[in-house]
Amino acid sequence: MHNAKCTCWNCPAINLAGKVDFRACGQAGAQFDKKADDSQETHIMAECKRRPDLGLFDPMSITFEECPEWQKTPYGYLLKNMRVMILGVDGYLGWTLALWLGRLGCQVSGVDNYNRRNWVKERGAHTVIPISRMSERLHAAKEVLGVNINFREIDIYEERDKLKEFIDEIKPEAIVHYGECPSAPFSMIDVEHAIDVQRNNVLGTLGLLFTMRDIVPESSLLKLGTMGEYGTPLTGRPLFEGMFPADAVLHWDNREWSLGGELTPRDPVSFYHVSKVQDTFNCYEASKYWWLRSYDIMQGVIFGVHTEEVSADPRLRTRLDIDEWFGTIINRFVAQAVLDIPLTLYGAGQQIRGFIALRDAMECMTRLLASPPEPGQYAVVNQISGVKSLRQLAYIVAKVGRKHFNLPVQIQRIENPRVEADIHPFEALYEKLPKQYGFEPKVDIEEEVRRMFELLMKPEIRARIEEKKHVIIPKTWWSGVKREAQRIELINLEKEIKEDEERAKIFMGKK
Amino acid sequence: MKKAITLNSKNFQKEVLESEIPVLVDFWGSWCPPCKMVEQTIEELAGDLDGKVKVGKLNVDQYPVLRNQYSIIGLPTFILFKDGQMMKNEVGARSKKQLLKMLNEALGNII
Ligand SMILES: NC(=O)c1ccc[n+]([C@@H]2O[C@H](COP(=O)([O-])OP(=O)(O)OC[C@H]3O[C@@H](n4cnc5c(N)ncnc54)[C@H](O)[C@@H]3O)[C@@H](O)[C@H]2O)c1
């Protein structure tokens, strides 16, 4: 088990007692400790909130493997009945994770204010897989899976006091923060949308960090970032997991420095991505100042519709959007294929992205929950299971559609409304999930695409796609122009796919 | 593969000050990103230097008495001990090559 040797030092169910000083970077260490009590061997002791009878003890002395509160699951030892609060629980990922963790025995609580439902409605779009009202969702979770979700309608940004109260009531041992606006094009519609997205995301998260400091500083935060924070540097240098490794060295003026532990440069590609970069800095600083434990998860594009739980009943399905603002790449391609609309590649279609299937993303989140960072540790993980060019992805969708569903799937290039490099090198690091957290992707991309076709070709869902097909082709330009992007050409990809395989690289660690 | 020794106030005397061979100690903290990034390098060095130089790591927040004794004011700090004495002291992230250079300079091209 990947986390067997973690100790109470990593455990969110302890209180840290003793002389914990919240100084940043140790710079003031010498002066600060003039008064240190030399008779004490260690200043930091643990007190177990679940087993107060243990008294004060050395937090390094008990491992997860030895502790009866941590129990074996397929994803590592997990805290028994772990209290996990999911912010953004009504969303694509939040709902899926709530059911998944509930089934694993976690006590799940959730917060949402239906922002996503309202944003999608405002754009005149809808989720093509229908989702029911929250009350019905909660009822079905209980009835079908025996999962109880303690839900509270709260706006994370506007209603900080309410969120604080709920966190105080639940005292979550982990907080998964999905509760942000996830769309780049939505943030580029106009100034109002750009401001809304940044305010909602950046200030919502900033408020949450203060609340954690005041109420649950030992709880572990899993905050969602995106691979898009890194952009696609044209130097072709690897996209490290948030920070430079110690062996990355800066040479200048005949001198050299190790860059180890410095945040790598970010090159966000929309005002939404900028909000995520700002979050990164806020989480980084807050962890350091207040000894919060946080993961910043640089997630690739998620695709798919399936986990055992969401597929258990139509009322348990998670949302799936296909419109230009909220429809992510593979999900949108499948919807287009179902309607015989040629799959749309923006510009060259050679943009390379990291991606991961819905089910696999849930497993990664669980493994991270099982392995909380150390006090004060801000850790970054690249959460992807592969990298491919957009035209490779289109090709896969076309292949599955033709082969298994007899659909005449075509692919087209259209004008690119975004400002981005559409031909670029790309090498993402993907080292921690497989090596530190024992993750291996389980979902075969073609298999998941096949499942998506099966679901989206159901007449009632096909009809919902048909109803909103006019919002698929983009009209939101980064330049501010509002007009439909025009077709450049229909393409056949057999030959090009090979070239992209060479260019899309993944780095799984030094030999 | 030889691993870095986790030091504490109980074993510091024996493992570091009374060691027969030189000891490189990494003073670190969990809230310090450069410290976390150097972790892997330290483990690699423990293996590479087995028998020549002992490698240990000490969490300064856990053992503030030792931290004060060695006046650690920035993290990570690397101190090379020989015969119970501090021979060399460097502060800040270091690449493996830089750490080896520090050891070679102090100990006379041991690697
Ligand atoms: N889906 C992807 O491909 C993908 C990829 C990378 C990163 N992410 C990130 O993962 C997270 C979840 O993504 P998703 O696809 O599930 O998006 P989503 O929009 O379906 O889920 C986010 C949820 O948060 C809620 N929310 C937003 N602002 C809120 C507020 N102020 N108060 C309370 N609730 C609020 C929304 O109503 C929504 O239900 C986001 O942070 C997103 O940026 C997603």
Side-chain angles (χ1 to χ4, degrees):
Chain A
M1 296 256 148
H2 63 101
N3 59 349
K5 298 292 174 225
C6 289
T7 62
C8 303
W9 183 242
N10 292 79
C11 180
I14 55 157
N15 276 322
L16 289 175
K19 294 201 167 128
V20 181
D21 63 58
F22 297 106
R23 110 211 83 84
C25 282
Q27 299 302 339
Q31 297 102 306
F32 197 94
D33 262 6
K34 282 267 157 56
K35 296 193 300 295
D37 174 2
D38 282 17
S39 63
Q40 240 180 310
E41 285 206 323
T42 157
H43 278 213
I44 301 181
M45 305 291 276
E47 195 179 15
C48 181
K49 286 185 261 189
R50 292 178 170 221
R51 298 273 314 277
D53 50 302
L54 292 175
L56 285 178
F57 59 96
D58 176 354
M60 309 284 191
S61 62
I62 305 173
T63 61
F64 286 3
E65 196 173 31
E66 291 157 353
C67 173
E69 295 295 320
W70 286 84
Q71 298 186 328
K72 268 191 184 164
T73 74
Y75 317 112
Y77 288 90
L78 198 62
L79 203 48
K80 195 166 61 187
N81 304 321
M82 190 175 199
R83 294 190 301 275
V84 184
M85 182 178 285
I86 301 176
L87 307 180
V89 73
D90 190 43
Y92 177 48
L93 305 178
W95 180 247
T96 313
L97 187 67
L99 299 182
W100 168 286
L101 291 178
R103 277 288 286 290
L104 265 179
C106 295
Q107 286 181 53
V108 179
S109 52
V111 165
D112 211 295
N113 69 339
Y114 311 119
N115 258 350
R116 171 64 180 261
R117 294 187 190 227
N118 295 329
W119 289 325
V120 169
K121 200 188 286 166
E122 171 212 301
R123 299 323 293 163
H126 65 199
T127 161
V128 296
I129 297 179
I131 55 172
S132 32
R133 287 202 319 270
M134 184 48 93
S135 53
E136 239 170 276
R137 290 185 124 180
L138 297 172
H139 179 76
K142 175 114 208 297
E143 184 189 294
V144 181
L145 302 172
V147 167
N148 268 312
I149 300 166
N150 186 349
F151 174 75
R152 191 90 34 108
E153 183 179 342
I154 299 174
D155 184 322
I156 299 164
Y157 159 60
E158 298 266 8
E159 300 174 304
R160 223 167 41 241
D161 286 348
K162 261 172 104 178
L163 180 65
K164 197 165 181 173
E165 242 167 62
F166 194 41
I167 290 181
D168 200 20
E169 183 184 318
I170 301 286
K171 298 265 168 31
E173 288 155 322
I175 296 179
V176 177
H177 183 16
Y178 283 133
E180 295 197 344
C181 175
S183 165
F186 189 78
S187 75
M188 300 303 293
I189 293 172
D190 55 25
V191 61
E192 299 305 332
H193 288 83
I195 288 177
D196 270 357
V197 169
Q198 293 211 351
R199 189 167 47 198
N200 184 67
N201 293 3
V202 175
L203 302 183
T205 299
L206 184 60
L208 171 70
L209 291 166
F210 273 83
T211 301
M212 288 187 70
R213 176 194 76 173
D214 294 343
I215 302 182
V216 284
E218 54 302 310
S219 165
S220 119
L221 172 66
L222 278 72
K223 155 80 183 59
L224 268 289
T226 147
M227 287 294 287
E229 288 187 37
Y230 302 135
T232 53
L234 286 172
T235 53
R237 70 153 170 81
L239 303 177
F240 296 106
E241 302 193 71
M243 293 169 206
F244 285 112
D247 281 346
V249 170
L250 175 69
H251 287 275
W252 183 74
D253 185 34
N254 278 327
R255 292 181 281 160
E256 66 174 55
W257 296 264
S258 162
L259 294 174
E262 288 197 31
L263 292 177
T264 59
R266 305 299 203 257
D267 188 8
V269 285
S270 72
F271 291 124
Y272 151 71
H273 289 98
V274 172
S275 77
K276 292 288 191 185
V277 172
Q278 175 74 48
D279 284 344
T280 281
F281 280 93
N282 287 339
C283 291
Y284 174 86
E285 294 302 326
S287 303
K288 196 167 67 180
Y289 304 157
W290 305 325
W291 275 41
L292 302 183
R293 10 174 140 247
S294 66
Y295 276 119
D296 203 352
I297 301 165
M298 301 303 153
Q299 184 168 259
V301 183
I302 310 266
F303 67 96
V305 290
H306 176 76
T307 63
E308 225 174 83
E309 294 76 30
V310 296
S311 301
D313 187 285
R315 292 168 297 164
L316 294 178
R317 285 272 175 211
T318 197
R319 61 180 310 125
L320 193 85
D321 300 82
I322 56 154
D323 59 87
E324 64 158 309
W325 305 279
F326 293 98
T328 45
I329 189 91
I330 304 179
N331 297 352
R332 180 159 45 82
F333 283 162
V334 177
Q336 290 179 307
V338 165
L339 290 194
D340 289 348
I341 301 172
L343 317 188
T344 42
L345 293 170
Y346 297 179
Q350 298 182 47
Q351 301 89 326
I352 297 168
R353 297 287 181 263
F355 60 89
I356 182 166
L358 182 61
R359 185 230 161 261
D360 283 346
M362 299 299 114
E363 176 170 340
C364 291
M365 296 298 284
T366 313
R367 288 178 178 274
L368 296 176
L369 273 172
S371 193
E374 297 173 47
Q377 188 187 355
Y378 163 84
V380 189
V381 175
N382 287 350
Q383 184 162 295
I384 56 178
S385 64
V387 300
K388 289 205 185 301
S389 70
L390 304 189
R391 61 186 191 184
Q392 280 177 296
L393 296 173
Y395 185 74
I396 291 171
V397 172
K399 199 170 89 180
V400 174
R402 289 173 195 149
K403 187 164 142 202
H404 297 286
F405 301 91
N406 248 332
L407 292 164
V409 190
Q410 288 185 297
I411 300 172
Q412 61 177 330
R413 291 204 303 115
I414 63 172
E415 295 170 299
N416 190 350
R418 304 182 175 212
V419 176
E420 63 180 5
D422 55 8
I423 303 179
H424 57 87
F426 190 91
E427 180 171 343
L429 254 87
Y430 163 62
E431 198 176 4
K432 290 193 191 161
L433 276 169
K435 283 197 185 162
Q436 268 180 38
Y437 305 103
F439 167 71
E440 269 175 52
K442 311 280 182 313
V443 179
D444 173 65
I445 181 166
E446 292 191 17
E447 176 58 25
E448 183 65 16
V449 167
R450 206 180 52 76
R451 261 194 238 269
M452 294 169 75
F453 269 111
E454 260 166 21
L455 189 60
L456 299 199
M457 285 178 71
K458 290 194 170 161
E460 66 279 15
I461 295 187
R462 194 179 186 285
R464 286 178 68 88
I465 305 174
E466 180 78 45
E467 203 185 320
K468 297 294 177 190
K469 67 177 179 195
H470 59 284
V471 289
I472 299 179
I473 304 289
K475 291 173 222 63
T476 305
W477 289 67
W478 266 223
S479 62
V481 165
K482 300 271 177 253
R483 69 166 174 83
E484 192 156 289
Q486 298 300 306
R487 175 181 294 174
I488 301 170
E489 60 176 350
L490 280 173
I491 51 175
N492 183 332
L493 285 174
E494 305 286 345
K495 190 169 106 271
E496 292 84 346
I497 293 306
K498 296 260 168 348
E499 289 167 24
D500 290 4
E501 264 158 30
E502 308 265 296
R503 211 155 39 87
K505 292 194 194 119
I506 206 156
F507 184 86
M508 296 190 57
K510 289 190 277 183
K511 271 137 227 131
Chain B
M1 196 71 161
K2 181 85 175 169
K3 292 200 141 195
I5 299 169
T6 301
L7 298 168
N8 56 46
S9 52
K10 292 202 185 75
N11 66 7
F12 198 85
Q13 175 77 19
K14 182 168 159 287
E15 293 285 0
V16 179
L17 302 178
E18 293 169 14
S19 167
E20 311 236 304
I21 56 172
V23 189
L24 176 69
V25 180
D26 165 23
F27 292 84
W28 67 282
S30 52
W31 40 265
C32 155
C35 299
K36 301 305 292 180
M37 299 312 271
V38 167
E39 237 169 35
Q40 196 188 337
T41 311
I42 286 295
E43 291 301 335
E44 284 174 24
L45 280 178
D48 297 353
L49 299 172
D50 189 16
K52 294 185 192 142
V53 177
K54 196 191 279 185
V55 179
K57 49 188 183 180
L58 183 105
N59 180 331
V60 294
D61 294 301
Q62 282 287 316
Y63 304 104
V65 176
L66 285 167
R67 178 182 77 203
N68 289 346
Q69 210 165 316
Y70 293 101
S71 308
I72 308 297
I73 53 164
L75 293 188
T77 292
F78 302 96
I79 301 184
L80 178 65
F81 290 87
K82 195 178 168 204
D83 302 325
Q85 301 295 315
M86 293 207 286
M87 284 193 77
K88 192 118 194 176
N89 175 339
E90 290 197 11
V91 184
R94 290 289 182 275
S95 66
K96 189 167 168 183
K97 209 171 117 201
Q98 288 173 318
L99 285 171
L100 284 171
K101 187 163 163 244
M102 162 183 171
L103 297 177
N104 277 330
E105 279 172 10
L107 301 170
N109 292 327
I110 51 157
I111 326 281

